[in-house]
Amino acid sequence: MVPVLSEAQLKRLEEHKYSVSGVSVTERVLQVLWSWLVEKLPMWVAPNLLTMAGFVINVVTSLLLICYAPTAKEEAPAWVYMSCALGVFLYQCLDGMDGKQARRTGSSTPLGELFDHGSDAISIVLLAVATACAMKLGQTPYLLFFTIFTDMFAFYCAHWETYVTGTMQVKFIDVVEAENISIAVHAVSALLGPSFWYQPGVLPVAATGLFATVVVTLWKVCGNCRTILREKTSSGCSLSPGVAILFPICVACIIYGTSSSHLFLDHSCLFLLMFGLAIAKVSNKLIVAHITKSEMTLLDSSMFGPGVLLLNQCCGGVISEHIVLWACLICVTADLALYCFSVCHQICDHLDIYCFSITSKPSQRR
């Protein structure tokens, strides 16, 4: 396996300390639940095992709904929406418990931060798309496109700010609130049906709530950007991560606005997943750059999928755009999985730890 991290990055990894500031409004209440739950866990349960369990639950329930509603216009069975609500809740709890379990067992490592936030980068894509499916947001495609990409960009900017300052800033309204909104949306769609959101009396309220959510998200992004422009990283320029995120977003906008075959309209969820996973890859690279105190590279293999899709469109759709989209999704997913596996394998070897066990490896260096 080709090493992803250099020896210098691995050396700096040993010096990394997780730093977070602030707590969101509903997290204050949920912390009590998470603290109570974590005390019920056996001491042998590894924190990364909790993270992975929550991640898998969220992936399975979200993809189940996406399969039923591939263009975010279809109506799924009520049990699918309820399973998504339960999946988000379990994911939220396990995500809140993993750090507590790490401190409780004395097994905190930089890998834990990467594993936690790296899985969040993927989960946020699936969670956002599944929530849009629960609201049949595909009926308003421009709103679907803008909302999902705003969410993904906001997540990236939050970690971009962390990369610059060294400390994750949790706002008064943050990810936990977004997860609670998602749980509520799935529960309502399960009980009243997704068409509920488009009833005459409900539509203005739902539209206002969605608009307010987008405004709050953009306000957070503006705050992140002010910090990014003001500060400077220990490794150099604070603007280096900008190219990696702007490329997939700009390509998505170009294809959305110029596709003669209405690619986004006919294959909304596939389109969002392909670009979302490409953004998740660069988000993971940004998190790695943060914990290893290294500069973010400008180019990345995740650009291949969006680039090929754009090239095919510029050539007049020589190959069916649907086929190319599927091929690009497979390539982007494989690239993301390979990168994550390689980084985790290298870090485990360097720190003499197991990924899913709190038992240390016998030191290879000794």
Side-chain angles (χ1 to χ4, degrees):
M1 184 179 297
V2 179
V4 176
L5 305 178
S6 66
E7 286 299 323
Q9 286 178 302
L10 290 170
K11 187 66 178 176
R12 289 192 293 268
L13 179 73
E14 299 174 6
E15 305 165 2
H16 176 72
K17 300 293 182 184
Y18 180 55
S19 177
V20 62
S21 175
V23 62
S24 66
V25 58
T26 56
E27 188 178 350
R28 299 173 189 272
V29 179
L30 289 170
Q31 286 284 357
V32 178
L33 172 63
W34 301 337
S35 297
W36 180 79
L37 288 173
V38 80
E39 291 297 328
K40 309 302 177 185
L41 291 176
M43 293 295 287
W44 56 263
V45 175
N48 290 341
L49 196 59
L50 297 176
T51 307
M52 177 55 73
F55 173 73
V56 171
I57 290 170
N58 185 50
V59 168
V60 171
T61 54
S62 296
L63 287 180
L64 180 64
L65 176 53
I66 290 170
C67 288
Y68 272 102
T71 63
K73 300 173 189 172
E74 299 83 359
E75 185 164 342
W79 67 267
V80 175
Y81 299 116
M82 193 56 72
S83 69
C84 279
L86 180 60
V88 176
F89 175 72
L90 292 175
Y91 163 72
Q92 183 186 69
C93 288
L94 292 167
D95 190 44
M97 291 163 59
D98 55 9
K100 297 181 184 300
Q101 180 72 351
R103 291 185 291 274
R104 180 172 174 247
T105 57
S107 57
S108 298
T109 66
L111 177 64
E113 180 179 350
L114 172 62
F115 213 82
D116 188 348
H117 296 159
S119 62
D120 287 344
I122 303 170
S123 293
I124 196 71
V125 176
L126 294 165
L127 190 148
V129 175
T131 304
C133 290
M135 295 186 71
K136 297 177 74 172
L137 212 55
Q139 295 182 10
T140 50
Y142 62 92
L143 191 57
L144 172 64
F145 182 92
F146 182 73
T147 302
I148 300 298
F149 277 94
T150 299
D151 289 344
M152 291 188 289
F153 185 63
F155 179 88
Y156 187 86
C157 284
H159 285 277
W160 191 355
E161 182 184 45
T162 305
Y163 168 75
V164 171
T165 63
T167 300
M168 170 157 284
Q169 303 290 338
V170 178
K171 306 296 191 293
F172 186 70
I173 297 177
D174 216 279
V175 175
V176 175
E177 283 67 36
E179 292 168 348
N180 290 333
I181 291 172
S182 177
I183 293 171
V185 167
H186 286 301
V188 170
S189 295
L191 297 173
L192 304 176
S195 299
F196 166 80
W197 303 104
Y198 287 87
Q199 291 181 9
V202 177
L203 184 59
V205 178
T208 302
L210 191 59
F211 177 75
T213 303
V214 172
V215 169
V216 170
T217 303
L218 291 175
W219 172 76
K220 285 174 52 185
V221 169
C222 290
N224 297 144
C225 291
R226 282 197 300 269
T227 304
I228 291 164
L229 293 172
R230 186 174 63 246
E231 302 289 338
K232 192 171 185 176
T233 66
S234 58
S235 60
C237 180
S238 63
L239 300 179
S240 57
V243 175
I245 185 65
L246 289 178
F247 179 82
I249 289 179
C250 289
V251 170
C253 291
I254 293 170
I255 295 175
Y256 173 78
T258 62
S259 175
S260 58
S261 62
H262 307 293
L263 181 63
F264 179 75
L265 298 180
D266 295 338
H267 310 286
S268 304
C269 291
L270 275 183
F271 184 95
L272 293 170
L273 287 178
M274 195 277 285
F275 280 97
L277 292 179
I279 292 173
K281 166 70 182 302
V282 296
S283 296
N284 271 272
K285 289 196 71 174
L286 180 60
I287 296 165
V288 169
H290 162 59
I291 66 175
T292 59
K293 297 179 175 61
S294 55
E295 189 168 349
M296 176 80 172
T297 55
L298 298 179
L299 300 177
D300 184 68
S301 53
S302 63
M303 297 179 178
F304 177 78
V308 167
L309 194 61
L310 179 62
L311 180 63
N312 183 65
Q313 181 170 304
C314 291
C315 294
V318 178
I319 307 174
S320 169
E321 288 188 326
H322 181 214
I323 295 174
V324 175
L325 181 58
W326 264 110
C328 290
L329 175 60
I330 293 170
C331 288
V332 167
T333 304
D335 179 56
L336 172 61
L338 182 61
Y339 176 80
C340 293
F341 182 81
S342 300
V343 170
C344 290
H345 181 73
Q346 269 193 279
I347 293 176
C348 285
D349 280 351
H350 183 76
L351 298 179
D352 289 330
I353 58 175
Y354 294 105
C355 189
F356 298 113
S357 172
I358 60 175
T359 306
S360 298
K361 291 181 180 179
S363 177
Q364 297 174 7
R365 291 189 292 275
R366 290 197 299 271

